[in-house]
Amino acid sequence: MKSRLSFSLRLPFSRSYATRLPERPPYRAPDPLRNYPDRWQELPEISSTFIHRPPPTAPSPLSFTTSPASPLLKEGPTPVVGALPPTVSKEKGAKPRMSDEDIAKMRTLRREDPAKWTRGRLAREFNCTPWFVGKMVTLAGPERRKALESREEAHAAARAKWGERKSLQADIRKKRKEFW
């Protein structure tokens, strides 16, 4: 009579799951010489075989091997006939050079009232860039400190309106910056 093994004894010896995930085998490209016999030729005079294997990418339209004429020698694009559409942005012409009198006037206005005559307002007034105003008219020590203090007061008033979470995140960033 055949002895029966109990279910508990057979369980450890049987495996019913995959040991690893199935993998696709790596790609093996077909040999191009087998499909294209014109890519190789025997050279009996030097007893060698010449094999031409082009790159696997598509040829560029500007390739010198497929089109030997230089793209620089080809004719340019055909000229557009008719009116062109309008430009998206306005063309900014060159700003005229400022005279020494205008620069002196700019400096006096800025020193009289820096809160009223800001860099942007002076730039609009004298038709130049705010960067140029900043280079030509810098605030002196006490005036600069006063301007920085007023700006800091405005920023502090804006920070006072922040919630708890935003204030905490700003403090964390400030603390992290100390460790740089």
Side-chain angles (χ1 to χ4, degrees):
M1 209 183 208
K2 233 177 179 180
S3 67
R4 285 183 151 207
L5 292 174
S6 68
F7 179 70
S8 62
L9 291 178
R10 276 189 276 155
L11 187 62
F13 299 113
S14 66
R15 183 176 285 174
S16 64
Y17 56 90
T19 55
R20 63 185 177 126
L21 294 175
E23 293 180 11
R24 174 179 274 176
Y27 175 73
R28 291 181 56 116
D31 187 14
L33 296 178
R34 180 174 293 186
N35 298 333
Y36 301 101
D38 60 329
R39 293 211 175 141
W40 66 277
Q41 57 182 199
E42 296 283 337
L43 302 175
E45 57 271 2
I46 56 173
S47 66
S48 294
T49 304
F50 177 75
I51 299 174
H52 171 64
R53 293 182 186 262
T57 58
S60 167
L62 303 177
S63 171
F64 290 115
T65 58
T66 57
S67 175
S70 170
L72 299 175
L73 298 176
K74 292 182 180 177
E75 291 184 24
T78 58
V80 178
V81 179
L84 291 174
T87 57
V88 176
S89 61
K90 296 178 185 175
E91 289 190 26
K92 298 178 180 176
K95 304 272 185 183
R97 293 186 67 86
M98 290 187 64
S99 63
D100 292 337
E101 296 86 29
D102 286 342
I103 293 175
K105 185 178 178 185
M106 188 188 309
R107 285 182 177 147
T108 56
L109 288 174
R110 178 82 165 148
R111 289 202 177 106
E112 284 174 6
D113 191 5
K116 179 182 175 187
W117 293 101
T118 61
R119 288 169 56 164
R121 185 167 179 192
L122 284 171
R124 283 190 302 274
E125 182 75 22
F126 290 97
N127 192 23
C128 62
T129 62
W131 179 86
F132 180 77
V133 174
K135 282 292 185 188
M136 291 293 117
V137 186
T138 57
L139 292 175
E143 295 168 343
R144 179 163 174 76
R145 276 192 292 279
K146 188 177 177 184
L148 288 175
E149 286 171 5
S150 66
R151 186 179 74 185
E152 184 57 37
E153 288 172 5
H155 287 184
R159 281 193 297 268
K161 296 176 186 174
W162 287 358
E164 179 183 348
R165 193 180 263 181
K166 191 168 184 178
S167 303
L168 177 65
Q169 289 172 347
D171 291 340
I172 289 171
R173 277 196 303 274
K174 189 185 291 184
K175 187 72 171 175
R176 193 182 313 132
K177 196 170 184 180
E178 289 176 8
F179 293 114
W180 281 0

